[in-house]
Amino acid sequence: MVQQQHRIYILQFDKGEPPEEEQLSCSPKQPAGATGRRIMYYYHDYGSKNGRQASAKSCSRPSRFLGMRGFFGLLLICFLSVSTFLAAPGSSSFFSGEQQRAAAAAMATAGAPCAAVRGNDTLCCDRTSERADMCFARGDVRMHSASSSFLLVSGNKESSPAPGKKEEQEERIRPYTRKWEANVMATIDEVRIRRVHPAHGGPSAPRCDVVHDVPAVLLSTGGFTGNVYHEFNDGLIPMFVTAAHLRRRVVFVILEYHDWWITKYGDVVSRLSAFPPIDFSADRRVHCFPELIAGLRIHGELTVDPARTPDGATSIADFRALLDDAYRGRLLYLDRLAAARKHRRRPRRRSAINSVEIEKRPRLTIVSRTGSRVIENEEAVVSLASEIGFEVRVIRPERSTEMCKIYRELNGSDAMVGVHGAAMTHFLFMRPGKVFIQVVPLGTDWAAGAYYGEPAARLGLRYVGYKIRPDESSLAREYPAGDPVLVDPAAVAKRGWDVTKKVYLDRQNVRLDLARFREELVKAHRYLVSSGAGAA
């Protein structure tokens, strides 16, 4: 059988291959008899001086042989460990104090079924949330992807099955944050978490190929991944909520792993974890962890509820700050490249007066759509905004557009305009105090407010929902005046989501009333200029 070899990079600046000496000390080695792809992970953290050292410490390969020096060293360690145990029996936990506090924080949601779980050799699942299940295991946790399992190897007699019985505790989980949507959840791989008791006659546990000293967080990048809203709402923000308190001392184990997802969001993932993620299905080595958090916490639409975080203070603003950190290095690199190119070109002459005027103008970015929900008179809107006093830019995000380039445009903008849709998720790249104007087509009032308007306000943006009138919709050319499609979208919505999607999302464009839209642009311009938020 021919084995395929893949290399995955998570970089802050250079997309080139790091030197060989920067390989992790736990570079994958295909275990004897294992099948599937061989994965080689590299991690190059330009944002941390100790990135490589931290990565090297996250995992190690168990030594097969010990020399005499190693044997006596191990004997000495065992002696000291026993002495410590006898001197302080209450401190014999598998975790360090810091790790115990971090583990407890992961379950710290008040009233949660697993909130009271403490210590090692524990397995508990919280299935009370409508959005996502979560399971927690502590102790000797071993990833066994060949059987789609994690094994909690137990030596606790109290948790052992009764004499003569072979039953083992088992929990099953699909670690995705849209639990209420049965159709999509059926596409998510199910993972078993099993407690085994080899010391008490139970099945033997596979030996560790890689030993980690940090927790694992199990998640899926399946489901609706591929849509930028779901990538942030169902994935990245829940990853932040679940793991931010661990301060990068965590390994993400990913189901339905996609190389393109790592390429797209590697900058962000590297700010949540100092270690390379693990492709659960392809990596057949046995990874051993002191703790497993299976599933992600989710607080709502594109938001973080401080009251439900371990420290009671983390908010969506902290996630926004993480994005700043994630993209800073890459943007500095791109800026240096741009400066070098500019230096090679002949400088264009421009009067000093015009330069000053342009610098003072607030920047407005229009996030343009193609296909459906297009602004049909977009060029007229650009001219209108320029006339009012904005420096106008138009961006058209594509699937292949590097995320940090979209971030750069919106992070440097004072106002953002776009029609309701997944691309409005990019309001997260705007700085608090700026203006977000969402054009709301017919039949999308609730979704526009719940998914983007309210979250934008929580981020600290000045949100404006511009609700179009029937005559501003392309549907007015398809349906007669007075048709429920134009005057009573709520009644149409009662016919089901498929009808709503087909009519209002897939077939509707907008032609803005320039006189009416001008009023909102003028208000935004006055606010930015008077508050000093413009061109800051």
Side-chain angles (χ1 to χ4, degrees):
M1 178 178 179
V2 178
Q3 295 180 347
Q4 297 180 3
Q5 179 168 299
H6 297 257
R7 293 187 179 185
I8 297 169
Y9 305 94
I10 302 176
L11 305 181
Q12 297 291 359
F13 292 139
D14 193 356
K15 298 298 181 183
E17 180 175 344
E20 288 297 318
E21 62 268 22
E22 294 196 339
Q23 294 185 23
L24 292 177
S25 63
C26 54
S27 296
K29 178 181 179 182
Q30 194 82 347
T35 60
R37 293 185 295 163
R38 179 182 178 189
I39 305 298
M40 294 187 68
Y41 291 111
Y42 295 82
Y43 184 84
H44 196 172
D45 183 1
Y46 289 89
S48 170
K49 294 180 179 179
N50 298 319
R52 185 174 62 185
Q53 291 87 334
S55 296
K57 292 179 181 178
S58 72
C59 51
S60 59
R61 194 178 309 284
S63 177
R64 305 286 185 182
F65 304 101
L66 290 174
M68 291 299 293
R69 180 180 299 178
F71 173 77
F72 286 111
L74 180 61
L75 190 64
L76 177 61
I77 291 173
C78 292
F79 174 77
L80 293 174
S81 299
V82 171
S83 300
T84 303
F85 176 82
L86 294 175
S91 62
S92 60
S93 171
F94 185 87
F95 293 117
S96 68
E98 180 179 354
Q99 287 174 316
Q100 284 182 318
R101 286 190 292 273
M107 298 185 189
T109 303
C114 298
V117 174
R118 297 289 185 270
N120 296 321
D121 202 19
T122 57
L123 172 57
C124 179
C125 289
D126 180 354
R127 305 187 188 276
T128 59
S129 171
E130 295 180 356
R131 290 179 174 265
D133 290 337
M134 292 189 73
C135 291
F136 306 87
R138 295 180 186 163
D140 183 355
V141 181
R142 305 186 187 186
M143 184 187 101
H144 191 245
S145 59
S147 62
S148 297
S149 301
F150 280 86
L151 307 177
L152 176 59
V153 183
S154 176
N156 187 345
K157 293 183 179 180
E158 295 180 0
S159 61
S160 299
K165 293 186 177 182
K166 298 183 179 180
E167 290 86 353
E168 303 285 344
Q169 182 182 359
E170 177 177 297
E171 301 285 354
R172 299 187 177 217
I173 187 170
R174 299 180 190 269
Y176 191 60
T177 55
R178 302 192 76 82
K179 174 181 171 182
W180 72 95
E181 297 196 55
N183 289 341
V184 71
M185 290 302 292
T187 69
I188 304 300
D189 290 347
E190 184 178 69
V191 174
R192 297 185 297 166
I193 307 173
R194 299 160 47 210
R195 184 196 299 275
V196 296
H197 304 269
H200 302 283
S204 60
R207 66 184 304 175
C208 300
D209 295 309
V210 183
V211 177
H212 302 261
D213 63 358
V214 299
V217 170
L218 176 69
L219 67 138
S220 170
T221 54
F224 292 127
T225 298
N227 175 295
V228 69
Y229 167 79
H230 290 287
E231 287 163 5
F232 275 87
N233 186 72
D234 304 342
L236 294 174
I237 294 179
M239 289 171 70
F240 172 78
V241 170
T242 305
H245 67 281
L246 297 172
R247 301 186 180 185
R248 303 180 72 217
R249 299 285 298 165
V250 61
V251 174
F252 290 113
V253 179
I254 302 178
L255 298 177
E256 288 93 27
Y257 184 101
H258 304 289
D259 289 347
W260 67 262
W261 186 88
I262 291 295
T263 300
K264 185 175 183 179
Y265 294 113
D267 292 324
V268 179
V269 174
S270 70
R271 301 314 302 162
L272 289 170
S273 171
F275 315 112
I278 295 172
D279 181 342
F280 180 81
S281 298
D283 192 340
R284 293 306 176 96
R285 297 171 300 163
V286 177
H287 290 261
C288 296
F289 300 93
E291 178 188 3
L292 169 67
I293 303 170
L296 300 175
R297 294 195 188 282
I298 179 170
H299 291 167
E301 310 304 329
L302 297 176
T303 195
V304 178
D305 181 358
R308 297 162 65 188
T309 59
D311 63 3
T314 302
S315 69
I316 191 64
D318 295 295
F319 178 76
R320 175 66 178 73
L322 180 136
L323 295 179
D324 285 339
D325 292 339
Y327 293 123
R328 183 178 295 114
R330 177 70 177 158
L331 291 178
L332 288 173
Y333 174 73
L334 292 176
D335 288 343
R336 288 200 297 269
L337 288 181
R341 293 192 194 102
K342 185 176 180 180
H343 180 73
R344 290 194 294 267
R345 296 190 195 126
R346 179 180 298 177
R348 292 179 296 176
R349 291 187 176 183
R350 189 173 63 180
S351 69
I353 294 177
N354 288 339
S355 298
V356 172
E357 288 178 352
I358 290 175
E359 288 176 2
K360 287 183 177 179
R361 303 179 75 184
R363 182 190 298 178
L364 180 145
T365 297
I366 297 175
V367 180
S368 182
R369 291 182 59 92
T370 57
S372 66
R373 281 163 282 155
V374 172
I375 300 177
E376 295 179 338
N377 56 342
E378 186 175 278
E379 290 186 6
V381 174
V382 171
S383 298
L384 174 63
S386 298
E387 176 190 324
I388 290 170
F390 286 102
E391 176 194 348
V392 184
R393 300 191 182 208
V394 179
I395 63 173
R396 295 177 175 84
E398 303 288 345
R399 285 181 181 269
S400 59
T401 304
E402 190 174 355
M403 192 60 69
C404 73
K405 293 181 179 178
I406 303 173
Y407 171 86
R408 176 170 57 184
E409 288 292 337
L410 292 173
N411 183 60
S413 296
D414 302 296
M416 168 181 165
V417 173
V419 182
H420 169 70
M424 294 301 94
T425 305
H426 295 124
F427 79 77
L428 291 166
F429 297 168
M430 298 286 290
R431 289 169 290 163
K434 303 304 182 180
V435 178
F436 170 35
I437 302 175
Q438 179 179 204
V439 177
V440 183
L442 299 181
T444 65
D445 291 14
W446 179 85
Y451 296 151
Y452 305 110
E454 294 170 13
R458 286 192 288 268
L459 184 61
L461 299 178
R462 186 181 180 93
Y463 172 68
V464 177
Y466 178 83
K467 298 181 180 181
I468 70 168
R469 298 181 308 201
D471 61 308
E472 294 175 272
S473 172
S474 64
L475 297 175
R477 300 194 293 268
E478 297 184 38
Y479 296 88
D483 190 284
V485 166
L486 300 177
V487 299
D488 194 3
V492 176
K494 292 179 181 178
R495 293 158 60 184
W497 165 247
D498 290 342
V499 174
T500 298
K501 181 178 184 300
K502 181 179 180 180
V503 173
Y504 294 115
L505 299 183
D506 296 343
R507 288 170 42 200
Q508 181 175 197
N509 291 332
V510 301
R511 178 173 289 274
L512 301 182
D513 182 324
L514 297 182
R516 186 165 169 256
F517 194 63
R518 179 188 181 92
E519 296 177 7
E520 299 299 342
L521 291 180
V522 169
K523 290 178 186 176
H525 187 271
R526 287 175 179 170
Y527 162 75
L528 291 167
V529 172
S530 64
S531 65

